[in-house]
Amino acid sequence: MRVEEMLAIAFEEALLGDAEGGVPIGAALFRNDGVLLGRGHNRRIQDGDPSTHAETAAFRDAGRRAHYRDTTMVTTLSPCWYCSGLVRQFGISRVVIGEARTFHGGHDWLAENGVEVTVLDDDACTRLLAGFVARSPELWFEDIGVSPEGGVSPEGASP
């Protein structure tokens, strides 16, 4: 399966999150041969659970495995530090990112630590999230742990 086809599945998840009134970020976990293992979207708003990011939802949906070295995490947005930690903790070998213009997360750190990182710079991913940020800046800043003025919020950490 081509990376664009993989991203399309993550993008479908982002659209679901948007339709539910949540942060429109989607992810999917694949075996490196293209077999879909799990998919999910950010549900922080819907579930009132700050740990339900798109990548964690896809990871949970994939279920338990003996190892994750043969997997690729595909996400519509550069993973935050929390999700980047998940990738490193479980040895996910590759990350494909729809866009990193709206938010530049931990993907440089992942690459520095041996994870293969591909940033596709996908316009549809950028438009979807930019539209959300314009409509709901307070929810966006809450999601990334930054106050609207640009500083670190008392509850969060700078991305």
Side-chain angles (χ1 to χ4, degrees):
M1 180 179 291
R2 297 181 6 219
V3 293
E4 294 82 7
E5 294 169 302
M6 296 166 127
L7 181 61
I9 292 170
F11 190 75
E12 288 174 5
E13 287 292 327
L15 291 173
L16 287 172
D18 194 44
E20 295 169 355
V23 182
I25 302 169
L29 186 67
F30 294 87
R31 278 195 334 223
N32 286 343
D33 64 4
V35 172
L36 177 65
L37 299 172
R39 57 191 291 167
H41 54 275
N42 185 305
R43 294 193 49 86
R44 293 183 73 250
I45 295 166
Q46 300 92 310
D47 295 347
D49 179 353
S51 70
T52 313
H53 291 206
E55 296 87 346
T56 60
F59 185 74
R60 288 175 179 150
D61 188 53
R64 186 174 167 193
R65 302 183 84 225
H67 68 83
Y68 297 85
R69 293 182 303 272
D70 63 340
T71 63
T72 297
M73 179 67 75
V74 180
T75 179
T76 58
L77 182 68
S78 177
C80 69
W81 288 106
Y82 169 61
C83 295
S84 294
L86 179 142
V87 168
R88 288 280 292 135
Q89 173 69 32
F90 291 97
I92 295 170
S93 63
R94 183 176 176 216
V95 176
V96 175
I97 299 165
E99 71 107 342
R101 287 183 267 168
T102 307
F103 176 77
H104 191 104
H107 67 268
D108 291 334
W109 176 75
L110 288 172
E112 291 165 4
N113 284 280
V115 177
E116 180 186 337
V117 174
T118 303
V119 179
L120 298 176
D121 199 25
D122 183 83
D123 286 333
C125 290
T126 302
R127 281 193 308 275
L128 181 62
L129 193 55
F132 173 79
V133 172
R135 286 188 316 273
S136 303
E138 70 289 346
L139 293 175
W140 170 245
F141 288 118
E142 175 190 326
D143 191 65
I144 62 171
V146 175
S147 72
E149 296 78 35
V152 175
S153 70
E155 303 85 23
S158 182

